Amino acid sequence: MFTLFYIVGSVILVAILKAVLNSQRRRPPEESFRFVYINQDEDARELTENERVHSETNLESADSGRLYMKSSCGSRNGWVGTPLQIAGLLMIGLLAACKPLPNKQNQIQNLSSPSGDYTLKIPIEKNTTNPRYSETGVWKVTIFDSSGTQEYKDEDSTMVGNLNIYWAWDTDDQVWVYNSDDGRITRWTKETGSWVKHEDQDNSGIPADLLPEDAR
């Protein structure tokens, strides 16, 4: 009986010590560390630029793209379950983290054009030209030449960053983007030395690997 009380008391003591440690700050607050990303094993890291922009985007409380934020590392997660269920979910999360999913062929960043003259990157950044999207992270088509110099950025983009888009080059070094939000197709082509945006394109002439499987 004494052994049982000793074991139970030890478990309770460890739980109390863990709760006390989790309630304390692990480092003083810093301006650049307003939010951090907490992994399943409670390791913390800085947010990437895209994650930072997404965390500052105003979303409805019922929006599935809304981030779950905790006040401290030891706060309850956004899901609950029995200890066995929690342990299983943690194991699945850790296994998934060890094997990152490969990028889809039509969502590759720093994608070189067929000629090798240009590189395409589409980051999520704040819209700075349209008041309607001023607090929203949007996908911005950005094109660089072979030396890495930026030639074009779509500052007027309204492609919301928490929704999927797909992109590809065609054989004529034209950029094509499919927006899964509204099904619109946009094309960028270089004309007389400048990149020109052509909206509401039809499916004729699009690269074979542009559309996701559910839109083909």
Side-chain angles (χ1 to χ4, degrees), residues 15-186:
I16 292 173
L17 288 174
K18 185 176 180 181
V20 171
L21 290 174
N22 285 338
S23 66
Q24 297 176 345
R25 289 188 180 272
R26 300 186 181 183
R27 61 187 295 166
E30 302 175 25
E31 182 63 28
S32 60
F33 285 86
R34 184 183 178 192
F35 296 110
V36 294
Y37 185 92
I38 304 297
N39 294 313
Q40 294 277 8
D41 57 1
E42 296 189 354
D43 282 342
R45 63 168 174 79
E46 285 189 70
L47 299 182
T48 64
E49 178 63 21
N50 288 349
E51 289 169 342
R52 185 189 63 76
V53 171
H54 189 50
S55 70
E56 296 174 356
T57 300
N58 291 327
L59 298 174
E60 296 294 332
S61 58
D63 195 313
S64 61
R66 185 182 179 91
L67 297 177
Y68 182 80
M69 297 185 181
K70 307 199 300 183
S71 60
S72 68
C73 182
S75 300
R76 181 184 292 272
N77 290 316
W79 44 267
V80 295
T82 65
L84 184 60
Q85 289 172 330
I86 293 174
L89 289 173
L90 284 174
M91 182 61 69
I92 292 172
L94 290 173
L95 290 175
C98 293
K99 187 177 181 181
L101 295 174
N103 289 327
K104 295 181 180 179
Q105 184 64 30
N106 50 4
Q107 289 185 317
I108 296 176
Q109 295 286 2
N110 298 316
L111 183 64
S112 295
S113 65
S115 70
D117 292 338
Y118 309 104
T119 300
L120 172 65
K121 184 177 181 180
I122 311 184
I124 299 175
E125 300 176 354
K126 284 188 177 181
N127 183 298
T128 56
T129 63
N130 189 330
R132 179 182 176 188
Y133 295 88
S134 61
E135 297 299 323
T136 303
V138 295
W139 297 96
K140 291 187 178 182
V141 168
T142 309
I143 302 172
F144 303 86
D145 65 16
S146 57
S147 69
T149 301
Q150 180 179 303
E151 289 195 353
Y152 173 85
K153 176 175 282 191
D154 185 15
E155 295 290 358
D156 298 324
S157 173
T158 57
M159 296 183 293
V160 180
N162 65 325
L163 299 173
N164 271 323
I165 66 168
Y166 303 86
W167 56 87
W169 291 99
D170 66 14
T171 54
D172 295 322
D173 279 4
Q174 297 182 117
V175 175
W176 295 78
V177 172
Y178 170 79
N179 188 351
S180 65
D181 179 28
D182 53 20
R184 291 183 176 180
I185 296 175
T186 307

